Structure formats: C-alpha cells, structure tokens
Amino acid sequence: MPKAVKSPAMNDTATLQNGQDAAPTPLDGAAKRYFVKTYGCQMNVYDSQRMSDALTEDGYSETTDVQDADLILLNTCHIREKAAEKVYSAVGRLRELKADRASAGKETMIAIAGCVAQAEGAEILRRAPAVDLVIGPQTYHRLPDAVRRARAGEKVVETDYAVEDKFDHLPSPKASVTRSRGVTAFLTVQEGCDKFCTFCVVPYTRGSEVSRPVSRIVAEAERLAASGVRELTLLGQNVNAWHGVGEDGREWGLGALLFRLAEIPGIARLRYTTSHPRDMDDALIAAHRDLPALMPYLHLPVQSGSDLILKRMNRRHTAADYLRLVERIRSARPDIAMSGDFIVGFPGETDADFDATMKLIDDVGYAAAYSFKYSPRPGTPGADMDDHVPEAVKDERLQRLQALLSRQQADFVTSLTGRDVDVLIDKPGRQAGQIVGRSPWLQPVIIDEKAAEIGDIVTVRIMRTGYNTLYSTPD
Ligand code: 5AD
Ligand code: SF4
C-alpha cells in the first residue's frame, strides 16, 4: 500500500456496513446472513449500501460478525498498488473460515465485487478457488441472482458492461435503512470516466462516463430527505461532468442539478465529489456564489504543479489554468476551502517538477489534501513510460509535500478559533453530555448535548481546535 493520507475520494480504509434494521424473510427455511467489507472510495461505500438493499430485499440480513455470515462480500478497490494481492490474502484468510463452517455443516459463499473484480475477472476464480462469485460494479443489480446461481454450484463471473442501468434495477434505498444511516448520505449521480489520465485505472474499471437521469436523482434525493437526511454528497468519478435533460426540457449541468436538489424540503446542505478542473463550468461556479446550501468546500484534484508532468499525465490543463480557476471560484465564494489530490514521483518527475508542485500548493493554500506516491497500474500508459522515479526519491518527496500540506491544514483549522460556524449535528459524542456535528468544511465539531439534537443545524462559536476537530465546549 502506498504511503498516503486518507482520501475522501479513494482511500485505503475498510468500512464496515452495518445498522441494518429490516426484518429478514426466511430463505430456505432459515434466515441467511451477509457480511460486507468495503475498500476504497465513497462510491464503493454507496455501492455497498445498494448491494445491501438488494440482498435485504432478497431475504438476507446483515451481520457484522464475519464468522456468522453465509455470504461474505468484499467490495474492492484497484486504484493503487497491490490491491489485487490484498484481496487474495484476505480470501486466503476467509478460506479457513469457510472450511471451519463447512465442517459444522454450514455453507459460506465468498463474493468479490468492486474494481478488483472488474479488473481481474475469472482470474480470481483461478487463483482463489474459495471464491464463488465475482461481480463488477456495472452489474450489481444482478447480485441476488448471481448469489442464487453460485449457491446452486455455479462459479459465477459477472463483469460485462451491462446495457441496462444498474440503478434502475437495484431497489430504492429503504426508509428504514437510510434512517439508520443518519443525516448525511451519498448519492451517485455519475459513474465512469472518459478522461484517461495516464496514471489511472478508473476509465478501465468503471468504464466510460454515464450520467443518471434527473428524475431518478431527484426521486432518490426526495426519499433520502423523507427519511431524515439533511446533507447530500453527490458522487461521481468525474462528478462535474454530469449532465442530463432537466425538468424544463433543457440540458442541465451539475450547477442546475444542485439548484433543483436544494429545493427539496429537508435538504439543507449539498456537496459533490470528485471533480476535474476541465469540467468546472460557469454555471457550477455561479452555484457556489448563489446557492447557500452548497457547502464552501471543494475537492479539486490537480495532481502536479508542473506543466510537463501535467502533460504526461494527460490532464489537459496547465498549472496556470488551475490557479486561474481557483481564483474564479474564490471570487464567487470567498470563504471556500480547497482540497486536492497530489501524486509524487510520476515517471519523468525531476526536482524542478516537484518544486513546481510545492509552489502551486503554496499559491493555493489547501484546507485539506490527499497525496500519494505514484504507483504504476498495469494496462495504463504511465506504467509503460520511461524514467520511473526511484522509491526512495518518491518517499522523500511525499514526506516534504505532506509536511507542507499538514501545515496548511493546521493553519486552516486554527483560523476557525473564535468564529461562529454552522454545524449539522449528526451523532452522539463519545463523552457523556456531548454531541458531534460537521462544519461546512467537514471537520467534526464537539458540542454540548443540551445545545441541539441530531439533524439540527446550529450556529456555535468555536472555542478551541484540535488536529482536525473543532470544539464549541470549554476545556
Ligand atoms: N498512483 C498513485 N495515485 C493514484 N491516484 C490515482 N491513480 C493513482 C496511481 N496510479 C490518486 C490520484 C487520484 C486519487 C483518487 O488517487 O491522486 O486523484
Ligand atoms: Fe482517473 Fe483522471 Fe478520470 Fe480522475 S479524471 S478518474 S484521475 S482518469
């Protein structure tokens, strides 16, 4: 795993999905349980929730104890190095569990979903015979059927790019399920990417760009709002390339969609991630100026500050283009906090190229950022380029870059001391008497329990700050 700060876009953490409260329907005489583990980006988190909904509708109930699961689902990520190897070693551990359960007369299906499934396909069955089913991100609506076929003894591989839209076939998120998931929710509006940055596997694993239609997005947002969701984060690999025919018959971009979603009663906050600089159009920038519900936080990856490297990465913009864009966004919304992704050690990166990245970071001033050592992904043009950078140089550059970004993040957080900040309350605190909310810039805010309830948006004064936490409570 590359040394990396966690990314909200594509991180290396595993997330457990839980909080299921729908009653299971007996299946084959006994309720079946599934366990799901999610790796990678928020899109995978969203997909895991929708797969959970599909399994629930099929009579399964969720367990957070893997030992207890009749179906184990790993939703995998392929964005950086050794992803496939990690999946194989996880399956190695599960093979023993499967054998133990088999000797107790219990069946265990192992399913691999996500981008490793898409990239490796049938190879997974060959290398890891304990796996019963491999399913790629475009075919999740076929999951219940695939599980049935696997249980009947078939080794199933579903990695086609389906002609039908998976979201049209997956059940809608259930109110009971979404409520237990809290006051913030993800909503995928776009999938896939046509940009073909030369380091990136996404165009290969997630396919070409597809935008979900306005009516489906609005209907899902309304259902989420009805179940208590107050903050929506619109997801897409290239979310600001989203477009569709609006309710007025005109072509809408993401800006128009955001305005429409802000009209839904209950929806108070909107965010979107992840964007490409080339798709920040005027209407979207205007939404940052005119739409109070749109939070003043923007994740806008740049990857490098060197024009030469940007060209080799096929980013199709220069450092100056990016800086001008940030300036336009800031003049629309002066309090916006910028976040970004950076890659160090892309093939051919010299000290001067790296210095240009450090200079760009200085010029922009980031409130948060995610940085990675370049990791060659088989099948991408970057992997075949000359002049790969030695690991030790990548390590050293990453350390310097992260030190600068951490200083900027600390400066941003401490600058909030003494300010009045709107906070969406989303969960009980760890300490008695406290509850926790989120600032407009995504930091957790610790608040006196008596001041508000979950789902409220309250204005509190920030008394002090921690590493990435804001406190409205005295010491
Ligand atoms: N090596 C290192 N980082 C990568 N990312 C994507 N592909 C690679 C790779 N091959 C990073 C980019 C992207 C983020 C989601 O992950 O910074 O924006
Ligand atoms: Fe990958 Fe580039 Fe597409 Fe982002 S824009 S998903 S980095 S190819």
Side-chain angles (χ1 to χ4, degrees):
M1 190 198 308
K3 207 167 163 247
V5 178
K6 266 196 250 159
S7 162
M10 308 267 176
N11 65 32
D12 293 302
T13 40
T15 316
L16 283 181
Q17 302 300 312
N18 53 27
Q20 188 64 259
D21 57 7
T25 320
L27 200 147
D28 298 350
K32 290 279 170 193
R33 294 185 190 282
Y34 73 93
F35 170 92
V36 51
K37 183 166 176 172
T38 308
Y39 301 86
C41 68
Q42 291 150 330
M43 185 136 341
N44 268 9
V45 173
Y46 176 87
D47 281 346
S48 289
Q49 287 173 352
R50 300 300 296 274
M51 285 191 276
S52 298
D53 293 336
L55 291 170
T56 303
E57 189 152 293
D58 213 44
Y60 278 76
S61 65
E62 183 161 17
T63 172
T64 52
D65 178 3
V66 67
Q67 316 268 348
D68 199 28
D70 307 291
L71 168 65
I72 299 170
L73 182 62
L74 304 184
N75 192 4
T76 61
C77 170
H78 204 231
I79 194 79
R80 285 175 292 273
E81 190 169 30
K82 303 209 178 86
E85 295 314 312
K86 273 193 277 182
V87 172
Y88 288 121
S89 55
V91 173
R93 290 189 297 273
L94 293 176
R95 195 182 50 202
E96 287 163 34
L97 173 67
K98 184 170 176 155
D100 288 350
R101 281 177 48 97
S103 50
K106 291 182 195 155
E107 175 194 72
T108 315
M109 294 282 113
I110 300 180
I112 308 297
C115 293
V116 172
Q118 188 65 40
E120 297 272 300
E123 175 69 9
I124 297 181
L125 296 182
R126 204 183 57 75
R127 276 192 58 186
V131 171
D132 301 284
L133 143 69
V134 176
I135 186 159
Q138 312 308 326
T139 45
Y140 291 156
H141 52 294
R142 299 188 195 146
L143 177 64
D145 178 57
V147 173
R148 257 189 298 280
R149 279 156 51 207
R151 293 188 63 208
E154 189 184 332
K155 288 281 183 183
V156 181
V157 181
E158 285 273 11
T159 50
D160 294 346
Y161 287 113
V163 281
E164 69 272 26
D165 175 358
K166 70 175 174 187
F167 296 114
D168 287 353
H169 298 270
L170 283 167
S172 320
K174 303 230 169 9
S176 59
V177 174
T178 47
R179 188 173 302 115
S180 67
R181 286 176 189 153
V183 297
T184 62
F186 295 135
L187 201 173
T188 293
V189 300
Q190 181 277 336
E191 271 203 286
C193 182
D194 296 338
K195 288 282 187 292
F196 288 92
C197 299
T198 54
F199 52 82
C200 186
V201 286
V202 166
Y204 309 96
T205 52
R206 291 275 177 166
S208 54
E209 280 173 12
V210 178
S211 294
R212 288 180 74 195
V214 173
S215 56
R216 302 283 150 67
I217 297 170
V218 169
E220 188 167 332
E222 282 171 344
R223 261 191 310 267
L224 290 165
S227 70
V229 168
R230 309 230 48 209
E231 175 177 305
L232 281 179
T233 302
L234 309 187
L235 297 181
Q237 262 96 26
N238 200 8
V239 70
N240 58 346
W242 178 90
H243 60 96
V245 179
E247 289 156 341
D248 55 6
R250 298 215 175 128
E251 183 72 9
W252 283 8
L254 192 66
L257 180 67
L258 288 162
F259 271 98
R260 173 66 183 88
L261 295 177
E263 287 171 8
I264 297 173
I267 297 300
R269 288 180 159 195
L270 293 166
R271 305 177 184 276
Y272 60 93
T273 198
T274 287
S275 296
H276 191 288
R278 294 222 355 159
D279 292 314
M280 285 306 294
D281 64 15
D282 291 344
L284 185 53
I285 296 176
H288 279 283
R289 184 188 58 220
D290 300 331
L291 188 58
L294 186 53
M295 290 293 99
Y297 179 97
L298 178 61
H299 184 67
L300 193 63
V302 64
Q303 317 295 354
S304 168
S306 151
D307 287 346
L308 226 87
I309 297 298
L310 286 168
K311 198 164 177 45
R312 286 173 74 102
M313 288 175 163
N314 192 33
R315 293 289 292 179
R316 294 187 288 152
H317 63 78
T318 62
D321 293 336
Y322 181 84
L323 291 172
R324 262 194 304 273
L325 177 60
V326 170
E327 215 174 275
R328 281 172 56 216
I329 296 164
R330 282 206 168 123
S331 50
R333 185 78 207 234
D335 65 340
I336 200 155
M338 296 298 300
S339 146
D341 287 345
F342 297 90
I343 295 178
V344 299
F346 188 74
E349 186 186 75
T350 62
D351 284 341
D353 294 319
F354 177 68
D355 289 346
T357 303
M358 295 291 271
K359 164 122 188 13
L360 179 140
I361 294 172
D362 255 335
D363 288 347
V364 172
Y366 287 91
Y370 308 92
S371 45
F372 314 96
K373 288 193 290 180
Y374 172 65
S375 126
R377 313 305 294 120
T380 60
D384 295 330
M385 286 181 186
D386 297 331
D387 301 330
H388 279 265
V389 174
E391 275 313 290
V393 176
K394 288 186 198 169
D395 281 332
E396 191 266 337
R397 287 183 187 161
L398 187 67
Q399 243 175 44
R400 281 171 52 203
L401 183 120
Q402 292 190 337
L404 174 59
L405 289 167
S406 305
R407 273 201 303 280
Q408 290 191 342
Q409 177 175 341
D411 288 349
F412 179 78
V413 169
T414 44
S415 76
L416 298 171
T417 312
R419 283 189 46 186
D420 291 335
V421 166
D422 288 344
V423 180
L424 169 60
I425 310 299
D426 65 349
K427 57 179 177 222
R430 267 195 232 136
Q431 283 183 34
Q434 294 183 339
I435 45 175
V436 184
R438 288 212 225 196
S439 80
W441 312 281
L442 289 174
Q443 294 86 9
V445 188
I446 312 295
I447 292 173
D448 183 331
E449 185 179 53
K450 293 193 278 299
E453 285 180 17
I454 290 176
D456 288 351
I457 295 177
V458 291
T459 308
V460 299
R461 178 149 303 172
I462 303 306
M463 314 280 271
R464 61 200 168 90
T465 60
Y467 172 67
N468 191 41
T469 306
L470 311 179
Y471 297 85
S472 80
T473 48
D475 274 324

